[in-house]
Amino acid sequence: MLTKKCVLLFSGKGSNIKNLIDKQASLNGKLEYIAAFTNNPTAKGIDICSDNDIEVTISDQEELNSNLINFLSKYKPDLIILAGYMKILPDDIVNKYVDKIINIHPSLLPKYPGLNTYEKVLKNNDLYHGVTIHYVNTTLDGGPIILQGKFKIRKKLSIKELEDLTHKVEHKIYPIVVKWIADDLISVKDNIIQFNDKTIYSPITYLVDEMSI
Ligand code: GAR
C-alpha cells in the first residue's frame, strides 16, 4: 500500500488542521500529513504542527507564492489541504496541482463565496447554513463540490454562535472527505466528481441536526 503524502496550508488558528491531525489514525496509514505551510508567522496552527512533529514553512508576504512553489516542489504532495488558508492560490499553482487541492469554505457554495459569510447569512435571515468542501480550480471558491454539511438555523444567532456551529460541522465533515480520498473513493475528472467510480452530478449533502452539533 502506498501512503498518500499530504500537506496542510493554513493562515489562522488551525482548528481544522488540529482536528484532521487528531483523526489521522482513522486513515489506517493510507494518508500522512508530512508538512505544512503558512503565510502568517503568528498563526496558532504553527504550534499545533510543532506539537505533532509536522514541519511548518512560514513564508513572508513578498515571496509568498514562490515560497509556496518551492515548498510544493520539495514535498511533492499527493494532496494539498487548504484549511483556512486565506490567500488566493495563483493559477499556475492550481494548474500544476490540478485535482490535488481541496478547500473548506464556510458557506453552502455557490452561495457566499469570498469573505464575511456569517454576516451575509444573518443579514439575509437564511434558514440554512453550512460548509462546503471542494476541489480547487482557478475560479474563487468555484471548484467541484465534494461534500456539504448543512444545518437549519432554528433561532436568532450572533455571528460568534453561527461561526461556532459552523466550525463544529467543519470538524465533522473535513475528516470524512480526507478519508474518502485516502481510501481512493473520491476523485475528480474534467471538473466532475467521481465517487466510487460513479459520477456525482449534485453535491453530496450531510444534513446535521443543530442539536447534535
Ligand atoms: C474555517 O472556518 C474555514 O472554513 C475558513 O477559515 C476558517 C479557518 O478556521 N476558510 C475560508 O474562509 C476560506 N475561504 P481554522 O483556522 O480554525 O481551521
Side-chain angles (χ1 to χ4, degrees):
M1 178 190 70
L2 277 181
T3 301
K4 291 186 174 64
K5 292 184 293 177
C6 174
V7 296
L8 302 162
L9 273 55
F10 63 93
S11 300
K13 70 178 176 171
S15 71
N16 277 286
I17 60 169
K18 178 169 186 342
N19 180 56
L20 290 173
I21 295 166
D22 286 349
K23 292 180 177 153
Q24 187 173 344
S26 71
L27 304 174
N28 303 319
K30 293 180 183 171
L31 185 146
E32 193 185 344
Y33 302 112
I34 57 166
F37 182 94
T38 184
N39 63 306
N40 177 5
T42 62
K44 288 207 181 93
I46 295 170
D47 292 337
I48 294 166
C49 291
S50 306
D51 291 348
N52 288 281
D53 294 326
I54 295 172
E55 198 177 320
V56 191
T57 299
I58 304 167
S59 175
D60 57 29
Q61 304 307 314
E62 294 75 47
E63 305 289 327
L64 182 66
N65 287 328
S66 58
N67 287 340
L68 182 54
I69 288 169
N70 292 338
F71 169 85
L72 295 171
S73 304
K74 175 176 170 189
Y75 289 102
K76 299 183 178 44
D78 302 300
L79 179 68
I80 300 164
I81 293 185
L82 310 187
Y85 185 66
M86 302 309 279
K87 293 284 175 182
I88 294 174
L89 294 182
D91 288 0
D92 55 341
I93 294 185
V94 174
N95 289 329
K96 180 161 183 201
Y97 294 92
V98 69
D99 303 345
K100 288 187 176 175
I101 313 173
I102 61 171
N103 181 43
I104 189 159
H105 182 77
S107 81
L108 293 168
L109 292 170
K111 244 183 166 182
Y112 312 134
L115 299 174
N116 305 319
T117 54
Y118 304 120
E119 286 85 340
K120 292 172 190 162
V121 168
L122 295 177
K123 183 165 172 272
N124 291 334
N125 289 316
D126 286 359
L127 190 54
Y128 287 93
H129 181 55
V131 171
T132 302
I133 297 163
H134 62 95
Y135 280 99
V136 172
N137 64 15
T138 51
T139 310
L140 177 68
D141 297 326
I145 293 173
I146 305 169
L147 178 65
Q148 293 189 308
K150 179 174 175 178
F151 60 93
K152 196 167 188 177
I153 302 175
R154 293 181 194 279
K155 55 175 185 164
K156 204 165 167 41
L157 297 173
S158 65
I159 290 179
K160 172 83 174 63
E161 286 169 329
L162 182 60
E163 184 177 358
D164 287 348
L165 282 176
T166 306
H167 273 289
K168 286 185 180 159
V169 177
E170 293 188 334
H171 297 165
K172 263 185 199 291
I173 73 167
Y174 220 175
I176 293 175
V177 169
V178 173
K179 184 153 173 54
W180 283 348
I181 293 173
D183 289 340
D184 287 319
L185 284 172
I186 279 275
S187 61
V188 61
K189 226 183 245 162
D190 301 328
N191 271 327
I192 298 172
I193 300 288
Q194 311 285 316
F195 188 95
N196 217 357
D197 290 330
K198 292 200 175 62
T199 300
I200 300 295
Y201 292 101
S202 54
I204 306 171
T205 303
Y206 184 139
L207 191 58
V208 185
D209 178 357
E210 195 201 326
M211 303 314 217
S212 74
I213 51 180

mmCIF file of all heavy atoms in Angstrom, residues 12-17 83-86 103-106 114 118 141 167 170, ligand 1:
data_model
loop_
_atom_site.group_PDB
_atom_site.id
_atom_site.type_symbol
_atom_site.label_atom_id
_atom_site.label_comp_id
_atom_site.label_asym_id
_atom_site.label_seq_id
_atom_site.Cartn_x
_atom_site.Cartn_y
_atom_site.Cartn_z
ATOM 1 N N GLY A 12 -4.517 30.689 10.086
ATOM 2 C CA GLY A 12 -5.053 31.191 11.345
ATOM 3 C C GLY A 12 -4.954 30.221 12.501
ATOM 4 O O GLY A 12 -3.932 29.578 12.699
ATOM 5 N N LYS A 13 -6.076 30.085 13.211
ATOM 6 C CA LYS A 13 -5.986 29.351 14.475
ATOM 7 C C LYS A 13 -5.809 27.853 14.294
ATOM 8 O O LYS A 13 -5.358 27.167 15.196
ATOM 9 C CB LYS A 13 -7.152 29.684 15.388
ATOM 10 C CG LYS A 13 -8.476 29.166 14.964
ATOM 11 C CD LYS A 13 -9.533 29.545 16.010
ATOM 12 C CE LYS A 13 -10.856 29.100 15.487
ATOM 13 N NZ LYS A 13 -11.997 29.084 16.140
ATOM 14 N N GLY A 14 -6.203 27.338 13.157
ATOM 15 C CA GLY A 14 -5.838 25.956 12.852
ATOM 16 C C GLY A 14 -6.702 24.893 13.499
ATOM 17 O O GLY A 14 -6.267 23.752 13.654
ATOM 18 N N SER A 15 -7.955 25.236 13.832
ATOM 19 C CA SER A 15 -8.791 24.209 14.458
ATOM 20 C C SER A 15 -9.036 23.048 13.492
ATOM 21 O O SER A 15 -9.134 21.894 13.914
ATOM 22 C CB SER A 15 -10.116 24.789 14.952
ATOM 23 O OG SER A 15 -10.954 25.117 13.867
ATOM 24 N N ASN A 16 -9.114 23.347 12.204
ATOM 25 C CA ASN A 16 -9.332 22.253 11.246
ATOM 26 C C ASN A 16 -8.105 21.371 11.088
ATOM 27 O O ASN A 16 -8.232 20.146 11.022
ATOM 28 C CB ASN A 16 -9.764 22.816 9.883
ATOM 29 C CG ASN A 16 -11.239 23.110 9.836
ATOM 30 O OD1 ASN A 16 -12.057 22.204 9.762
ATOM 31 N ND2 ASN A 16 -11.591 24.391 9.909
ATOM 32 N N ILE A 17 -6.921 21.979 11.057
ATOM 33 C CA ILE A 17 -5.745 21.101 10.925
ATOM 34 C C ILE A 17 -5.592 20.256 12.193
ATOM 35 O O ILE A 17 -5.257 19.082 12.119
ATOM 36 C CB ILE A 17 -4.439 21.846 10.551
ATOM 37 C CG1 ILE A 17 -4.039 22.878 11.575
ATOM 38 C CG2 ILE A 17 -4.502 22.447 9.172
ATOM 39 C CD1 ILE A 17 -2.624 23.407 11.332
ATOM 40 N N ALA A 83 -6.868 24.706 4.741
ATOM 41 C CA ALA A 83 -7.699 24.722 5.942
ATOM 42 C C ALA A 83 -7.595 26.121 6.552
ATOM 43 O O ALA A 83 -6.746 26.378 7.405
ATOM 44 C CB ALA A 83 -7.236 23.648 6.923
ATOM 45 N N GLY A 84 -8.433 27.005 6.029
ATOM 46 C CA GLY A 84 -8.337 28.393 6.479
ATOM 47 C C GLY A 84 -7.090 29.071 5.933
ATOM 48 O O GLY A 84 -6.509 29.920 6.599
ATOM 49 N N TYR A 85 -6.684 28.708 4.721
ATOM 50 C CA TYR A 85 -5.567 29.416 4.054
ATOM 51 C C TYR A 85 -6.193 30.609 3.332
ATOM 52 O O TYR A 85 -6.925 30.432 2.354
ATOM 53 C CB TYR A 85 -4.845 28.489 3.079
ATOM 54 C CG TYR A 85 -3.618 29.128 2.444
ATOM 55 C CD1 TYR A 85 -2.509 29.450 3.222
ATOM 56 C CD2 TYR A 85 -3.575 29.406 1.082
ATOM 57 C CE1 TYR A 85 -1.386 30.047 2.645
ATOM 58 C CE2 TYR A 85 -2.446 29.987 0.508
ATOM 59 C CZ TYR A 85 -1.362 30.308 1.295
ATOM 60 O OH TYR A 85 -0.246 30.890 0.732
ATOM 61 N N MET A 86 -5.940 31.800 3.839
ATOM 62 C CA MET A 86 -6.714 32.966 3.410
ATOM 63 C C MET A 86 -6.025 33.751 2.292
ATOM 64 O O MET A 86 -6.177 34.967 2.193
ATOM 65 C CB MET A 86 -7.012 33.863 4.621
ATOM 66 C CG MET A 86 -7.763 33.153 5.735
ATOM 67 S SD MET A 86 -9.266 32.278 5.185
ATOM 68 C CE MET A 86 -10.397 33.648 5.112
ATOM 69 N N ASN A 103 -10.332 22.417 -0.537
ATOM 70 C CA ASN A 103 -10.528 23.587 0.322
ATOM 71 C C ASN A 103 -11.812 23.420 1.114
ATOM 72 O O ASN A 103 -12.750 22.760 0.670
ATOM 73 C CB ASN A 103 -10.646 24.845 -0.567
ATOM 74 C CG ASN A 103 -10.829 26.103 0.248
ATOM 75 O OD1 ASN A 103 -10.172 26.301 1.274
ATOM 76 N ND2 ASN A 103 -11.733 26.976 -0.181
ATOM 77 N N ILE A 104 -11.829 24.046 2.290
ATOM 78 C CA ILE A 104 -13.081 24.117 3.055
ATOM 79 C C ILE A 104 -13.515 25.568 3.108
ATOM 80 O O ILE A 104 -12.697 26.470 3.332
ATOM 81 C CB ILE A 104 -12.926 23.497 4.461
ATOM 82 C CG1 ILE A 104 -14.288 23.395 5.141
ATOM 83 C CG2 ILE A 104 -11.935 24.260 5.325
ATOM 84 C CD1 ILE A 104 -14.325 22.383 6.271
ATOM 85 N N HIS A 105 -14.798 25.783 2.877
ATOM 86 C CA HIS A 105 -15.323 27.157 2.855
ATOM 87 C C HIS A 105 -16.586 27.210 3.722
ATOM 88 O O HIS A 105 -17.454 26.340 3.602
ATOM 89 C CB HIS A 105 -15.639 27.574 1.414
ATOM 90 C CG HIS A 105 -16.122 28.984 1.331
ATOM 91 N ND1 HIS A 105 -15.271 30.067 1.427
ATOM 92 C CD2 HIS A 105 -17.368 29.499 1.216
ATOM 93 C CE1 HIS A 105 -15.982 31.180 1.350
ATOM 94 N NE2 HIS A 105 -17.255 30.860 1.224
ATOM 95 N N PRO A 106 -16.704 28.260 4.545
ATOM 96 C CA PRO A 106 -17.832 28.285 5.493
ATOM 97 C C PRO A 106 -19.129 28.824 4.903
ATOM 98 O O PRO A 106 -19.720 29.769 5.434
ATOM 99 C CB PRO A 106 -17.302 29.195 6.613
ATOM 100 C CG PRO A 106 -16.399 30.152 5.908
ATOM 101 C CD PRO A 106 -15.782 29.392 4.770
ATOM 102 N N GLY A 114 -16.022 33.938 -1.120
ATOM 103 C CA GLY A 114 -15.289 35.088 -0.573
ATOM 104 C C GLY A 114 -15.447 35.218 0.932
ATOM 105 O O GLY A 114 -15.672 34.228 1.634
ATOM 106 N N TYR A 118 -20.664 34.815 7.413
ATOM 107 C CA TYR A 118 -21.620 34.776 8.541
ATOM 108 C C TYR A 118 -22.503 36.023 8.542
ATOM 109 O O TYR A 118 -23.721 35.938 8.753
ATOM 110 C CB TYR A 118 -20.877 34.660 9.878
ATOM 111 C CG TYR A 118 -19.967 33.467 9.924
ATOM 112 C CD1 TYR A 118 -18.594 33.608 10.122
ATOM 113 C CD2 TYR A 118 -20.475 32.190 9.737
ATOM 114 C CE1 TYR A 118 -17.762 32.508 10.131
ATOM 115 C CE2 TYR A 118 -19.649 31.080 9.742
ATOM 116 C CZ TYR A 118 -18.295 31.252 9.939
ATOM 117 O OH TYR A 118 -17.467 30.160 9.942
ATOM 118 N N ASP A 141 -13.419 29.914 -4.948
ATOM 119 C CA ASP A 141 -14.447 29.110 -4.271
ATOM 120 C C ASP A 141 -15.406 28.448 -5.272
ATOM 121 O O ASP A 141 -16.584 28.226 -4.947
ATOM 122 C CB ASP A 141 -15.240 29.967 -3.256
ATOM 123 C CG ASP A 141 -14.340 30.490 -2.140
ATOM 124 O OD1 ASP A 141 -13.391 29.783 -1.751
ATOM 125 O OD2 ASP A 141 -14.584 31.618 -1.662
ATOM 126 N N HIS A 167 -18.056 25.779 12.651
ATOM 127 C CA HIS A 167 -16.799 25.064 12.913
ATOM 128 C C HIS A 167 -17.069 23.617 13.328
ATOM 129 O O HIS A 167 -16.350 22.706 12.923
ATOM 130 C CB HIS A 167 -15.999 25.761 14.015
ATOM 131 C CG HIS A 167 -15.111 26.839 13.478
ATOM 132 N ND1 HIS A 167 -13.982 26.581 12.736
ATOM 133 C CD2 HIS A 167 -15.199 28.177 13.538
ATOM 134 C CE1 HIS A 167 -13.408 27.706 12.376
ATOM 135 N NE2 HIS A 167 -14.129 28.702 12.843
ATOM 136 N N GLU A 170 -17.680 21.762 10.275
ATOM 137 C CA GLU A 170 -16.409 21.588 9.547
ATOM 138 C C GLU A 170 -15.630 20.413 10.133
ATOM 139 O O GLU A 170 -15.077 19.596 9.407
ATOM 140 C CB GLU A 170 -15.563 22.861 9.645
ATOM 141 C CG GLU A 170 -16.175 24.043 8.912
ATOM 142 C CD GLU A 170 -15.254 25.246 8.839
ATOM 143 O OE1 GLU A 170 -14.378 25.403 9.704
ATOM 144 O OE2 GLU A 170 -15.428 26.043 7.907
HETATM 145 C C1 GAR B 1 -12.694 27.919 8.584
HETATM 146 O O1 GAR B 1 -13.965 28.306 9.008
HETATM 147 C C2 GAR B 1 -12.673 27.776 7.072
HETATM 148 O O2 GAR B 1 -13.889 27.341 6.557
HETATM 149 C C3 GAR B 1 -12.394 29.182 6.643
HETATM 150 O O3 GAR B 1 -11.422 29.636 7.559
HETATM 151 C C4 GAR B 1 -11.687 29.030 8.832
HETATM 152 C C5 GAR B 1 -10.388 28.515 9.397
HETATM 153 O O4 GAR B 1 -10.558 28.068 10.710
HETATM 154 N N1 GAR B 1 -11.900 29.228 5.313
HETATM 155 C C6 GAR B 1 -12.225 30.184 4.443
HETATM 156 O O5 GAR B 1 -12.935 31.132 4.728
HETATM 157 C C7 GAR B 1 -11.631 30.019 3.055
HETATM 158 N N2 GAR B 1 -12.323 30.820 2.115
HETATM 159 P P1 GAR B 1 -9.390 27.274 11.440
HETATM 160 O O6 GAR B 1 -8.124 28.095 11.288
HETATM 161 O O7 GAR B 1 -9.839 27.196 12.865
HETATM 162 O O8 GAR B 1 -9.281 25.928 10.796
#
